[in-house]
Every structure is written in C-alpha cells, then in structure tokens.
Amino acid sequence: MPAPGYVVDLDAGHAQQLARQIRAQGIYAEILPRTRVDELPHRQVTAVVLAGDQSLAPLLSLPEVPVLRAPTEPWQDAELETFLNGLEVPRTWTPEAIIDAQVAAIRQRVGNARVICGLSGGVDSSVAAALVQRAIGDQLDCVFVDHGLLRAGEAEQVERDFVAATGINLTVVDASQQFLTALAGVHDPETKRKVIGREFIRSFEAAARDLVADSTGGEVRFLVQGTLYPDVIESGADGATNIKSHHNVGGLPDDLQFELIEPLRELFKDEVRAVGTALGVPDQIVWRQPFPGPGLGIRIVGEVTAERLEILRQADAIVREELGNAGLEREIWQCPVVLLADVRSVGVSGDERTYGHPIVLRPVISEDAMSAQWTRLPHELLDRISQRITAEVAEINRVVLDVTNKPPGTIEWE
Ligand code: XMP
C-alpha cells in the first residue's frame, strides 16, 4: 500500500466527507485532528488536505508534499479530483485490497486460537463476522441472540441467508419469550432499554460461556466487534483500543475476558458495505438501514407485548416494501415505524365506529444520526402506505407523519 493521504481536521465540519471522497477515488486517507498535526513530519505522507482555513506551521517542513486547501463545506468535487489526479499514486484502496490486508492481519494475530462474534443482523457485525470468517473459517463461532424484537424476516436473514452466503458457524439463541417476560408491565422508555440490555448480556454471556466450555482445538481468546472509523475518530482513541459501548457486549463480566478484533476500524460505512458485497453478504443485510439494538421494543410506546409486536411488524413490513418499490430505501437514512400502543384512536368503518391505534412514520435523512431532517416523501407514496396499513392491519386506523427535525426530536420515539 502507498503512504496514506491525510485530511487535517481544522474543525470546519467536513473532514470526514473529504476523507470519504478521497478514498472513493481509491486513495487511502486518514483524518488527523488539528492537535496532532505536528506528527505529520514523522510519517510517510502522500498528500495533505486541509479541511478548514488555517495555515499550519508543521506543514512548512514538508515542502515536497502536495497540499490542498479545502476551506469550506461543501467542497467542489472537481477541484479535489484535479488535485488527486495530479498525485500520480496508484489507486489501490479497493474492497478486495481491504479484504486481503485484513485477512492477512487477522490470520497473523489469531494463529490457532478461537474467536467469537455476536451477530445483531446489522451491517457492521455481519460484515465484521464475514471478514473474520474469510480469514480463519471454522475457528470463528458466531452467536445470534434473537430477542424477538426484530422486524419481519430479519431473524431469518441472519439464520438462513447469512449462514448460507458465508458458511459461518452460528449458534442461535431464541430468547424471545425471556425478553417478553422481562418486559411485561414495563412502560418507561429508559427502563425498557435497561431491561433489554440486561437480558441481552445475560443471553450472550451464557452462549459465550458454553462456547468457551465446549471449545475443542484452542482457547477462545478473541471477540469480534464491528467498530467503524467514525467511532474511532469521535472517541479520539486513534491508536488506542476503543471499546464501543454496544449493548450486546458492553457488560461482559470480568472473568469472561477477550481481546478485541475490530476489522472495520479503518472503514467508513460506505466502505463496509462495499466490503460486505465483495464478501457475498446478502444485499438485505448490506443495505439494511440502521436499527437500534433494543429493536421494536423502543418503537412501541407503551408496554411491549407479543400482539403489539405483531401489529408493528405488519405495518413496518408494508412501509419497507413500499419504500423499496419506490426505490427510496437506500436514499433515506431510516424510517422508524412507531406504534402508539397506549393511544386509542377513533375511526369509522362502514357504519361502525372503530377503536384502533395510530402508527407514526418517521422517515429521516441524515449523515451520521447526530442530526437529521424529516424526509419529504412523495404524497402518492404516503397515501399508498396509509391506505395499505389501514386496510391490512386491522388494529390500526390512523397513520401519521412525524415532521420533526433532529434536534429537537430524536430519531427514535423512545
Ligand atoms: P436517536 O433516537 O438518539 O437515534 O436520534 C440515533 C440513532 O441511534 C439509533 N439508536 C440506537 N442504536 N441502541 C442502538 O444500537 C440504542 O439503544 C439506540 N437508540 C437509538 C437510532 O436508530 C438512530 O439510528
């Protein structure tokens, strides 16, 4: 690999965007915060892009390194492209090259040891697992805790499609009844999250213990995590081990200690998707929109019950299908569908009054979920979704649209 390019982050807010644009051209670029710019003269550097409008003294000692000033957002693609074309470096940053480098690094680090990985059905854990499986095959064991709070078809995507595509060893823990029991009578959003987090760790821990106990042919030494580059940059932990406080591994007890393998720590989300596709991970997983760990549990306002989950799943499946048919699934960031289970709304059907529940559509566009704008979906599409949900899901007689940006509203309702 040639030496990286560096994007120096001068707090103008577009450093990540620039790094992504450079990498999309096949040139590996890292982000360096302004506070660490004096490291540059000690590194191999292909080029420097300044994301912001200051001159920096340490760059004076790098007279032979090309520097581009990109003072403001949005930065012109054409100018960046001209600059990159002038560099004459090979464009080697491709999904295949990323996979080859990671496979070699993982093999070297793991040796004959065994590795476990918790799958959530999301993009990051799936691609991380597929990459590690490519490197060490059967030395990897994956655990999927089905908490019963996933959307229609998602558990099957993990248990069947993902396994078929990757050949991964998978232990499925069906914990849905356990979660429902633990959630009975719980209305408060924060308590729900705590209950779900606690049950999740219990289930994962039990499965991990079983794997450790059963393990033949080597000690279970490593745990795979799907930490991405933005998490690394944002935690300021570049170089140090960054443990993402993810609900599915955050609370493992002290006597169950693993070293972390984070094969996606250098990658942005779009690169993770490209790597996933190159590894043969199914499209429904690679292109899955972000989905919260506590799942549908925090999209039912009110107590979580099996019946309410079923209602929400039906409505959510209609929304996803219609967004997909309209070709919008990859354009919008997320569209939570929220069941206002404690609200009785009055409707009319034939000559009869009905009492049902409202359902909320929350389509948003976003770069990183820190802020978001409500999406202007076509009225015809909204109409079709509304007609279908009220016709096909008996308990719902009202469909409403959330038109709140974040801030002040969060993306999820709970
Ligand atoms: P909010 O609601 O805070 O959500 O605007 C921001 C993003 O995070 C997701 N989210 C979660 N993800 N565990 C997760 O793994 C959680 O408890 C959780 N809560 C929210 C949300 O879907 C959105 O993408």
Side-chain angles (χ1 to χ4, degrees):
M1 280 269 175
Y6 285 93
V7 175
V8 179
D9 185 358
L10 299 171
D11 304 329
H14 60 308
Q16 289 198 30
Q17 182 198 335
L18 280 165
R20 275 163 45 198
Q21 283 174 281
I22 297 167
R23 289 183 182 197
Q25 299 293 319
I27 299 170
Y28 177 61
E30 283 181 20
I31 294 173
L32 207 59
R34 68 155 78 228
T35 49
R36 290 179 43 201
V37 75
D38 47 0
E39 292 175 20
L40 276 180
H42 310 291
R43 296 192 183 199
Q44 301 280 354
V45 182
T46 288
V48 174
V49 175
L50 296 176
D53 59 0
Q54 285 158 357
S55 300
L56 295 168
L59 294 180
L60 296 175
S61 59
L62 293 166
E64 70 286 8
V65 174
V67 176
L68 174 71
R69 287 172 203 285
T72 52
E73 186 188 11
W75 187 244
Q76 286 90 0
D77 290 351
E79 198 157 345
L80 181 64
E81 212 172 306
T82 309
F83 176 74
L84 297 177
N85 286 339
L87 295 178
E88 293 180 1
V89 288
R91 310 279 173 118
T92 51
W93 185 250
T94 60
E96 292 72 24
I98 296 169
I99 293 168
D100 289 348
Q102 280 302 325
V103 163
I106 294 165
R107 280 188 186 149
Q108 164 141 46
R109 189 157 164 227
V110 169
N112 295 322
R114 301 193 65 87
V115 180
I116 64 169
C117 177
L119 286 179
S120 68
V123 187
D124 305 345
S125 65
S126 304
V127 175
L131 195 44
V132 174
Q133 138 78 23
R134 178 65 62 92
I136 58 165
D138 281 350
Q139 283 166 257
L140 172 70
D141 284 299
C142 291
V143 175
F144 170 53
V145 175
D146 182 0
H147 54 19
L149 305 170
L150 292 176
R151 293 174 293 183
E154 286 183 328
E156 294 76 12
Q157 275 162 21
V158 178
E159 294 173 27
R160 198 185 52 213
D161 306 346
F162 182 67
V163 170
T166 58
I168 238 157
N169 286 336
L170 179 68
T171 303
V172 178
V173 182
D174 179 2
S176 38
Q177 202 48 52
Q178 173 191 332
F179 276 76
L180 275 178
T181 307
L183 284 166
V186 179
H187 290 253
D188 175 59
E190 210 39 48
T191 313
K192 271 189 202 171
R193 277 172 194 276
K194 288 212 174 91
V195 168
I196 295 169
R198 182 192 72 211
E199 295 303 319
F200 205 99
I201 287 161
R202 270 189 195 159
S203 306
F204 184 78
E205 187 203 320
R209 275 190 200 288
D210 286 349
L211 282 171
V212 169
D214 291 351
S215 138
T216 47
E219 175 199 5
V220 182
R221 257 184 60 202
F222 298 94
L223 176 74
V224 180
Q225 279 220 282
T227 315
L228 304 196
Y229 192 47
D231 305 325
V232 177
I233 305 166
E234 272 146 33
S235 70
D238 188 9
T241 305
N242 161 52
I243 302 177
K244 186 180 175 189
S245 56
H246 195 268
H247 76 277
N248 63 0
V249 288
L252 286 179
D254 285 348
D255 65 331
L256 204 60
Q257 286 280 316
F258 302 107
E259 293 170 47
L260 291 185
I261 295 187
E262 299 173 302
L264 311 178
R265 316 178 33 98
E266 289 177 351
L267 307 185
F268 289 111
K269 194 82 169 191
D270 40 358
E271 295 170 316
V272 171
R273 293 203 161 108
V275 165
T277 299
L279 288 167
V281 177
D283 264 4
Q284 296 105 310
I285 292 178
V286 164
W287 287 100
R288 214 175 85 159
Q289 291 174 351
F291 186 66
L296 298 180
I298 56 164
R299 291 183 179 173
I300 292 174
V301 179
E303 185 187 8
V304 178
T305 65
E307 296 73 34
R308 290 171 167 189
L309 281 167
E310 194 43 43
I311 296 171
L312 179 53
R313 269 195 200 103
Q314 287 176 25
D316 176 84
I318 293 170
V319 175
R320 283 193 291 150
E321 187 186 329
E322 290 296 337
L323 287 175
N325 290 346
L328 290 172
E329 216 163 18
R330 292 187 190 187
E331 255 163 64
I332 65 170
W333 168 269
Q334 251 176 307
C335 183
V337 177
V338 180
L339 177 66
L340 304 187
D342 282 350
V343 177
R344 302 289 303 278
S345 93
V346 179
V348 57
S349 176
D351 295 335
E352 304 265 309
R353 268 173 179 265
T354 62
Y355 293 96
H357 302 289
I359 203 132
V360 181
L361 311 180
R362 173 83 170 120
V364 292
I365 45 172
S366 175
E367 277 289 315
D368 53 10
M370 303 289 282
S371 65
Q373 290 79 46
W374 66 274
T375 316
R376 277 70 170 164
L377 292 181
H379 285 175
E380 299 70 33
L381 174 62
L382 288 169
D383 185 45
R384 201 159 43 247
I385 289 173
S386 163
Q387 303 249 15
R388 277 196 62 192
I389 291 179
T390 47
E392 294 173 34
V393 189
E395 296 79 0
I396 295 178
N397 62 1
R398 202 168 286 274
V399 177
V400 302
L401 179 65
D402 184 343
V403 292
T404 321
N405 291 333
K406 174 184 179 178
T410 50
I411 294 177
E412 304 292 345
W413 268 48
E414 287 199 331

